[in-house]
Every structure is written in structure tokens, then in C-alpha cells.
Amino acid sequence: MEKFFKLQERGTTFSKEIIGGITTFLAMAYILAVNPSILSASGMSWGAVFTATAISAALATFVMAFLANLPVALAPGLGLNAFFAYSVVLGMGCSWQLALTAVFIEGILFVLLSLCGVREAIVNSIPEGLKKAVAVGIGLFITIIGLANAGIVSTETGTLIGFVNFNMKNPAALVAIIGLIITIILYVLKVPGSILIGIALTTIIAIPFGVTSIPEGWKPFSIPDKPHLFAFDFKGICMTPAGKFSFAVLGQFFVIFITFLFTDLFDTIGTLLGVAEQGNLKTEKGEVLNCKEALMADAVGTVAGACLGTSTVTSFVESSSGVAAGARTGLASVVTGILFLLALFLTPIFSLIPSAATAPALIFVGYLMMKSVVAIKFDDPTEGIPAFITIMTMPFAYSISKGIMLGIISYVICKVAGKKAKEIPVVTWVLAAIFVADLIFEACK
């Protein structure tokens, strides 16, 4: 195990990896309930999607562990599942089978691009300052996820978004604040596994508040449902329901496919950059360690997820919580993957952990990832302004991919305006052009 995962070389231990893997799982276990809830709106079976979510997450995370040796967990991504259900199926009137087909083809293309090194080249082309900004932006992004999941912030406060009153009318918010205080104290005292212990203690504390509830007749075990295996609709790519070829249908499918493709691409890139920055999992050149293999894990996960019957599988920013707990190798990912498989049968146990208990972990990781901000050259406007736009966009637009998109566009603009165009890598020029074209396309819809 030491030889394969290189624990000593990465400055970690077996126990730290175990704790890190468990912490990552607990921080992202909500997807086991949220993903089926969202995709079932498209007509899919809740139980079938739950099974697909757990298995695809486990498979992709195992590939990440053994191929890339990184503490990054994967699962069906939020945002992409909402686009799948509410935009593609309910909005455009497509079948969920056709949406799964788009996800499957996207995954196949990603496998090919990963093999050719195209996705790796894109990651490595992002300037160092923007890489730091991505880590900070993700930190704020997952912080606001934690705040929102626990009900600490709300749009019903009379402002765009604000803190709720911390009283018994908002017990989840109160519990989350208590949990955050516990986590902070444990971390300051340098207690090993402080984030994981914080989640466990918060879950227990939440019982008398009614936030952690144990249902009547509760049993710890359950039998998983059969997933929607290979439920594809290849004819629907270009054929009308009447069986006739249609350019309009083909064009609509292309839009669906491209949206899945680019959102997944830059969500994954952002996550890898953020986790690598936080855990110092980089090469001597400052590039993400085993980047090509990590991107391949993401691609394989998407293909497997589509075959099992779920939306795009992607790297999860919540992996940062495991890194914060000490994870540095793929061993942590092995632990996370095993827990996803166990979740198939132990769903009632994991479902007891409320969002208010995992929220403090996400909020605290926001602090840990904020540390990268000190390395950004804000005194140079051609570096500082793009970094600021990247950091600002991720939490406020609720999108990692949009943060990267606007960050790269503004980077090119600032460098050109500052007469430093020679500092812009060729791939960055290409990405900026693609992003501008995408913005124009969106504006012309």
C-alpha cells in the first residue's frame, strides 16, 4: 500500500487517508439524495437513479484512485443534473433517454480527448495566477453551498441574500453555526480528523433540535433498486417521433451535447486545480499531478454513469474537505468509493446525517482554500483583475465553469490592453475565442 499510493512521499499516513476519504464522502453524500430527487422530475425512477448514482460514483472514484492516485471523488454533478431534468427534458420536451444519450456521447468524446492529451493541455494552459484564483473561487463557492444547505443564508431576509435569525425558528442554521464553532475549535487545537469529528458531533447535537431525525420503524439496511441500464435513444438524435430525419432535431441535440460537454469540462478542470492547489499536489512545473489520468477517470465515470442511468459524472469540489482533513493520495478515494458502495445497502444510516452537519465542513474548507489568495499578484492589474473576476463569478454566478470562462476572457483582454500579449499561451487564446463565441451564441438565442 505504501509503495503503490506513495503515502510517505506525499507526507501522509494510512489513518489520515482513511479519515480524509470518510470526510469527503460525508461532505458529498447529499448527492445520493439530491440527484435522484432532481432526475426523477424527468420521469426516471428515484430508486433506479439512486442506485446509478452510488455505483457510478464508486466506479469513477476507484478509477481516480488507481489510475491518478489523487484524493478526488466523483459523482453525478449538481447543475448538470438540473440542466438534464429541467432544461432538456421538461424545457425542450426531449425524453430522458435522449438526454442520457447526449451524456454518453459526451463521455466517449472526453475519453478520446483525454487519451490525446487535449484536456490536459487545456488545464496546463491556464495561467498560474488564474489557477490560484480558481482555488479561492471554489473555496467561496463551496462556502456558499454550505451556508445555503444549512439555511444560514436566505433570499427571504429582505436583501438579495442575507443571514437568517439564529433561533429555534431556524434550527438547522443554529445547529450549523454550533457545528462550525466546534470544527474551528478542534482545528485550532490541532485535533486529528477535526472536520470529520465536527460532522459526527453536529449530527448528534442536531437530534434534540429536531434537525437529525430518526424515523419510526427505522432500519439500517435496504435493498437497492435496479438502475436504468443502457436506456439510450440514438434515433432521437436526428429523427422526429414520426421517424423522419430533421435538421432542427439534430441542431437541438447538438446544443444539448455542447452544453454538457463544456460545463463538465470546466467544472472538472476547476475542481482539479482547486484540490491540487490546496493539497500541493502539483509537479515541479506547477501542473496538476497526474492530470491526464485524473481527466480520464472523469471521462470513464461519465460513460459509466450514462450506461447506468444518471447524468454527467464529474469531480466534486467537496473533495477539498477530505484534503483539508489530511488526504493526499488515491487511498482516500478508495475509502470514499467503498462508502458509496456500502451506501447502496446502508442508505438509512447515511440519510440521518443532515445538511446542517456537513455544512460546517464546507464552510471551513472555504477558509482553507482562501489561503491561495496571498499568492495572486494583485499589484499587477493584468494578473489581479482576471483573478478577481474569476473569484467573484464562481460564488455569485453559482458556477465554477463560468468563473473560469470569464477569468480567461478577462485575462486575454487585460494582457492585450497592458501590451503583454506575448505572455498569453496559444491554448489560452483558443479558449478565450471559444468562450466569446459561446457568450455571443447565448446572447443570440
Side-chain angles (χ1 to χ4, degrees):
M1 190 174 296
E2 161 63 35
K3 187 176 180 180
F4 185 85
F5 290 111
K6 302 176 182 178
L7 302 182
Q8 189 173 358
E9 181 182 319
R10 300 273 182 91
T12 185
T13 63
F14 180 80
S15 60
K16 285 183 179 179
E17 294 299 299
I18 299 299
I19 291 174
I22 295 173
T23 301
T24 293
F25 174 78
L26 292 177
M28 62 185 288
Y30 65 86
I31 197 64
L32 289 168
V34 175
N35 193 51
S37 177
I38 291 175
L39 293 188
S40 62
S42 67
M44 303 177 76
S45 163
W46 194 100
V49 176
F50 176 88
T51 301
T53 302
I55 296 177
S56 64
L59 288 175
T61 304
F62 285 145
V63 175
M64 181 68 77
F66 295 112
L67 193 63
N69 192 20
L70 290 175
V72 177
L74 302 92
L78 285 174
L80 286 165
N81 53 10
F83 174 73
F84 182 110
Y86 300 117
S87 295
V88 177
V89 178
L90 299 179
M92 298 181 183
C94 300
S95 66
W96 58 263
Q97 291 89 344
L98 182 62
L100 280 179
T101 306
V103 173
F104 175 73
I105 296 175
E106 171 223 333
I108 294 295
L109 179 58
F110 269 176
V111 169
L112 296 176
L113 292 177
S114 298
L115 286 173
C116 297
V118 175
R119 296 178 79 191
E120 184 181 11
I122 293 174
V123 175
N124 294 335
S125 72
I126 297 177
E128 191 63 29
L130 285 186
K131 289 180 181 179
K132 305 286 185 184
V134 166
V136 177
I138 289 177
L140 293 177
F141 179 72
I142 63 176
T143 295
I144 203 167
I145 288 176
L147 291 170
N149 285 352
I152 295 174
V153 296
S154 171
T155 56
E156 301 176 0
T157 56
T159 57
L160 289 177
I161 188 169
F163 280 90
V164 300
N165 293 322
F166 299 112
N167 52 41
M168 291 310 296
K169 292 183 179 180
N170 299 297
L174 185 58
V175 166
I177 291 297
I178 294 173
L180 180 59
I181 293 171
I182 291 172
T183 303
I184 291 172
I185 293 173
L186 291 173
Y187 185 83
V188 171
L189 293 175
K190 298 182 179 180
V191 176
S194 55
I195 295 178
L196 175 59
I197 295 172
I199 292 174
L201 291 178
T202 306
T203 300
I204 296 171
I205 291 171
I207 294 176
F209 287 86
V211 176
T212 298
S213 57
I214 302 177
E216 186 177 347
W218 179 83
K219 295 180 180 179
F221 304 102
S222 62
I223 303 298
D225 290 356
K226 179 182 177 181
H228 295 296
L229 292 173
F230 305 104
F232 300 127
D233 178 19
F234 290 104
K235 290 183 178 179
I237 293 174
C238 59
M239 307 288 283
T240 65
K244 295 183 178 181
F245 176 83
S246 170
F247 280 109
V249 172
L250 181 60
Q252 184 183 56
F253 180 82
F254 181 75
V255 171
I256 296 169
F257 167 75
I258 288 296
T259 302
F260 276 128
L261 183 76
F262 279 99
T263 303
D264 183 23
L265 173 62
F266 290 100
D267 271 358
T268 298
I269 288 175
T271 298
L272 288 177
L273 289 175
V275 173
E277 190 67 40
Q278 184 188 4
N280 195 30
L281 301 170
K282 299 182 292 183
T283 64
E284 293 179 356
K285 296 181 179 179
E287 299 171 352
V288 177
L289 196 65
N290 300 333
C291 182
K292 185 176 182 178
E293 292 82 359
L295 293 170
M296 179 59 74
D298 176 85
V300 171
T302 293
V303 173
C307 292
L308 288 164
T310 185
S311 54
T312 306
V313 173
T314 187
S315 301
F316 259 58
V317 295
E318 285 82 357
S319 301
S320 302
S321 62
V323 173
R328 292 294 183 274
T329 74
L331 179 56
S333 296
V334 171
V335 174
T336 304
I338 290 173
L339 289 175
F340 268 115
L341 291 180
L342 289 177
L344 284 168
F345 307 96
L346 301 174
T347 304
I349 292 178
F350 293 113
S351 65
L352 292 180
I353 302 172
S355 296
T358 57
L362 298 180
I363 296 168
F364 188 73
V365 168
Y367 149 71
L368 296 174
M369 298 191 74
M370 181 63 72
K371 294 177 182 179
S372 297
V373 76
V374 299
I376 299 174
K377 300 176 181 177
F378 283 109
D379 56 336
D380 179 355
T382 67
E383 294 283 339
I385 292 174
F388 167 71
I389 290 175
T390 302
I391 294 169
M392 170 193 70
T393 303
M394 288 187 184
F396 296 147
Y398 214 69
S399 171
I400 294 173
S401 57
K402 279 188 172 58
I404 295 175
M405 177 188 294
L406 296 183
I408 288 178
I409 292 174
S410 61
Y411 181 83
V412 170
I413 292 173
C414 289
K415 287 296 181 182
V416 171
K419 299 180 181 180
K420 297 181 179 180
K422 292 182 179 180
E423 298 179 11
I424 305 173
V426 175
V427 178
T428 304
W429 276 107
V430 175
L431 290 176
I434 292 173
F435 291 151
V436 169
D438 182 65
L439 291 176
I440 294 173
F441 176 77
E442 288 291 329
C444 294
K445 277 186 179 180

